[in-house]
Amino acid sequence: MRRLCALIPLLALLAVPVAEAGAAKLHPDVQRITYRYPVELKRGTNVIRIKVGIPKPQVPGYVVRIEPNLVRRDGTVPPTDQIHLHHAVWLSTRAPSTNPNVPGFGTEIFFATGEEKTIVTIPRPYGYPVRPSDTWILNDMIHDLTDRGARLFITYTVDFVPAASRLGRRLKPVTPVWMDVEDSAYPVFDVIRGSGRNGRYRYPNMAPGAYAGRATPVNELTLPRGGTLVAFGGHVHPGGLWTDLALRRNGRSTHLFRSEARYFGGRAPVSWDLGMTVTPRDWRVRVRAGDVLRISATYDTRHASWYESMGIMFGWLAADATGRDPFTQRIATRGRPTHGHLPENDDFGGRPTRMPDPASLPGGAAPGGVVPISNFRYRFGDLSGAGAARNPPTIPAGSSLEFVNQDTGANVFHTVTGCRAPCNRSTGIGYPLADGTRFDSGNLGFGPAGFTAAANRDSWRTPSSLRPGTYAYLCRVHPYMRGAFRVVPVR
C-alpha cells in the first residue's frame, strides 16, 4: 500500500462486465453481476500488481455480497496446485482507510481474499455504499506454480442493490474494518516447524520484538467512533488454524470471534483445501469510541514450516448502536465457512513418482561450489534430471554450496527450502512441504522492497553448520522443482 500512489498513474486495465441471470432466492431488488478482466500471467511469476479503475456498479447503491474466483479464458478453474489467487485486495476511493496502521493513500480496503476464496456477505439491513464517482482498485498476486503461464480472468460476482430501489432505501451504510498482524503491502511472517508451544505458534504473541520500534502494535486498532460491528472473518495461509478478534475497554478484555480454517476431508492443516469461518448473520457487537480491537493468528507447527504466512481479519462497522454489549451479553464466537470443498483442490499430491530417493544416489559435484538455477531447473542435484547432473553435489562439513538464480531477468523467483527426505512424490496442494530441515533461501529475485516477496538478491549459500547427511529441498514458488545436496564428514 505504501507505494500505491507511485504505481497508480502507471497502470491501466481492460475490464469486461458480465451480467448474470437472476438467481433463485435473490430479492427482486438485488442485481447479481459478475465482473471480469483479463490477465496475461507470465510463466512462473508470483508478483504483486495494482489495477486502477476496475469495473464496478455505475449507479448509487450498496454491495451486499462478493464472491471471488480465478478462471481460464474458457471458463474453467485452474487447479490450485498449478495456478492460484495468492491474494486479492479490493480498494475504493470512497473514503480513506479507517485503520492508521494500513495507509491506503486516500483509499479504503473493502474486500479481500486468498486461495481459500472466502465469500463475503453483509447481513441486512446493511450494505457497502457505492457512488458513481468512486474508483475501485485491485491489488492482486496470481501465482503460477508451473513454468507455463496462462491467460486468465479474475472474476468477482457482486450482489448490488440500487439506492433508489425499495430495498436500497432501507439499507444502512457500513464502513470496512481491515486488520492485519503485519504492516506492509506484503504483510507476511515465517512460522518454523517445532516453534511455539504444543505444536501451535501464535503471532505476534510468540514473536518477541515483532513490533519493535513501532509506536503502537499494528495488530491493534483504536476505534475513532462507536457503533455496531456487524460481521467479521479471517484469512490465513496453509498451516493456519485460526485468527482471533478481541476487544479491550477501560482495562478489560473480551474475546469477540475466532475465524477458523476448516480443512476439508479430515486432512491435516497443510493445504489450501479449506474454508474460513465467518460470523453468524445475526452477530452484532456494540462498540464505543476509544475501544481497542486486537487480532492474532495461530498456525500449526507439527507438520511443516510455513514461510510468508499471513494473519488478517476483516469486518464491517455500522453507525447505529443496535448490537450487544460484549461485556454484559453473550456473543457468538464461532461461525461456519462460506463454502465447502472446491474441485480445484482435488489433487492433494504425494503419489509415487519416478523421482529417485536422493539418499540412494551417488555423490555428485558442483563446479566451483555453485549450483545455477536456470529455466526452472537446478543445474546440479535436480531430482528430475538425468545422468550425473541429478546426483547430489557433495561438500565437506563446515563448507557451503552457493545457489544462483539465473531466471531473475524474467521476473521469476526461486527458493532453496529444506524438505523432508526423500521429497520425491507427486506435487499437489498438500505435497511437498517445507519440513524437516530448517533452511530457506528466501525468494531469490528482485522487486520493490515491502511490495514483493523478493529477497532482493539472486544468490544464497547453504548454512555451514549443517551436519553430515543428504539434504532434500524444494522451490516454494514452483514446488515441482526438487533437488538435493550432501554434506560429508571432513577426513
Side-chain angles (χ1 to χ4, degrees), residues 26-92:
L26 278 183
H27 188 282
D29 291 337
V30 177
Q31 301 173 4
R32 177 159 291 178
I33 308 168
T34 294
Y35 297 104
R36 66 181 186 180
Y37 59 85
V39 174
E40 295 285 346
L41 181 63
K42 294 182 179 180
R43 72 184 195 126
T45 54
N46 184 33
V47 296
I48 294 174
R49 288 169 290 261
I50 302 292
K51 283 82 175 177
V52 180
I54 63 171
K56 55 174 281 292
Q58 294 302 310
V59 298
Y62 298 90
V63 171
V64 295
R65 181 181 181 273
I66 308 179
E67 179 176 357
N69 211 343
L70 181 68
V71 301
R72 298 187 182 98
R73 296 296 174 85
D74 63 4
T76 60
V77 179
T80 302
D81 60 295
Q82 297 179 20
I83 298 172
H84 59 222
L85 191 63
H86 182 277
H87 75 248
V89 180
W90 280 257
L91 304 95
S92 174

Side-chain angles (χ1 to χ4, degrees), residues 36-166:
R36 66 181 186 180
Y37 59 85
V39 174
E40 295 285 346
L41 181 63
K42 294 182 179 180
R43 72 184 195 126
T45 54
N46 184 33
V47 296
I48 294 174
R49 288 169 290 261
I50 302 292
K51 283 82 175 177
V52 180
I54 63 171
K56 55 174 281 292
Q58 294 302 310
V59 298
Y62 298 90
V63 171
V64 295
R65 181 181 181 273
I66 308 179
E67 179 176 357
N69 211 343
L70 181 68
V71 301
R72 298 187 182 98
R73 296 296 174 85
D74 63 4
T76 60
V77 179
T80 302
D81 60 295
Q82 297 179 20
I83 298 172
H84 59 222
L85 191 63
H86 182 277
H87 75 248
V89 180
W90 280 257
L91 304 95
S92 174
T93 58
R94 189 190 73 89
S97 173
T98 57
N99 189 341
N101 296 332
V102 186
F105 301 103
T107 68
E108 65 181 6
I109 298 170
F110 68 91
F111 176 55
T113 190
E115 294 93 328
E116 82 284 359
K117 300 179 181 178
T118 296
I119 302 168
V120 167
T121 300
I122 304 173
R124 290 183 192 167
Y126 304 101
Y128 177 64
V130 177
R131 304 171 303 188
S133 60
D134 298 338
T135 297
W136 283 9
I137 302 164
L138 179 62
N139 168 339
D140 82 85
M141 189 175 185
I142 301 177
H143 185 178
D144 178 18
L145 293 83
T146 74
D147 60 357
R148 298 188 293 271
R151 302 177 70 230
L152 305 162
F153 287 114
I154 294 179
T155 68
Y156 46 108
T157 299
V158 173
D159 283 7
F160 179 73
V161 180
S165 67
R166 187 173 182 179

Side-chain angles (χ1 to χ4, degrees), residues 229 252 254-257 280 282-286 322-334:
L229 299 174
R252 301 172 63 195
T254 187
H255 184 238
L256 298 183
F257 187 67
D282 61 351
W283 187 86
R284 303 285 189 277
V285 174
R286 189 164 70 250
T322 59
R324 301 178 182 90
D325 185 328
F327 291 98
T328 61
Q329 295 173 282
R330 185 174 179 179
I331 303 295
T333 59
R334 297 292 190 275

Side-chain angles (χ1 to χ4, degrees), residues 233-385:
H235 168 70
V236 294
H237 283 189
L241 298 176
W242 53 74
T243 57
D244 280 307
L245 175 69
L247 182 144
R248 186 173 68 247
R249 177 188 298 162
N250 298 328
R252 301 172 63 195
S253 295
T254 187
H255 184 238
L256 298 183
F257 187 67
R258 172 168 289 179
S259 181
E260 300 170 90
R262 299 280 180 86
Y263 292 85
F264 302 117
R267 294 185 183 273
V270 298
S271 77
W272 278 114
D273 191 18
L274 63 91
M276 296 299 297
T277 62
V278 299
T279 50
R281 286 182 177 269
D282 61 351
W283 187 86
R284 303 285 189 277
V285 174
R286 189 164 70 250
V287 293
R288 302 175 184 173
D291 283 355
V292 178
L293 297 178
R294 186 181 193 278
I295 68 165
S296 64
T298 300
Y299 276 71
D300 172 87
T301 59
R302 290 187 175 92
H303 296 87
S305 294
W306 310 107
Y307 298 93
E308 299 172 42
S309 301
M310 287 187 172
I312 294 169
M313 294 199 79
F314 179 76
W316 306 95
L317 175 66
D320 61 38
T322 59
R324 301 178 182 90
D325 185 328
F327 291 98
T328 61
Q329 295 173 282
R330 185 174 179 179
I331 303 295
T333 59
R334 297 292 190 275
R336 294 184 178 181
T338 63
H339 61 74
H341 167 78
L342 301 174
E344 54 264 39
N345 294 323
D346 283 347
D347 189 355
F348 200 77
R351 298 181 301 277
T353 68
R354 294 183 179 181
M355 236 183 253
D357 180 341
S360 69
L361 296 173
V370 177
V371 178
I373 310 172
S374 178
N375 197 25
F376 301 87
R377 297 291 292 271
Y378 300 104
R379 177 64 181 85
F380 305 107
D382 194 305
L383 298 185
S384 296

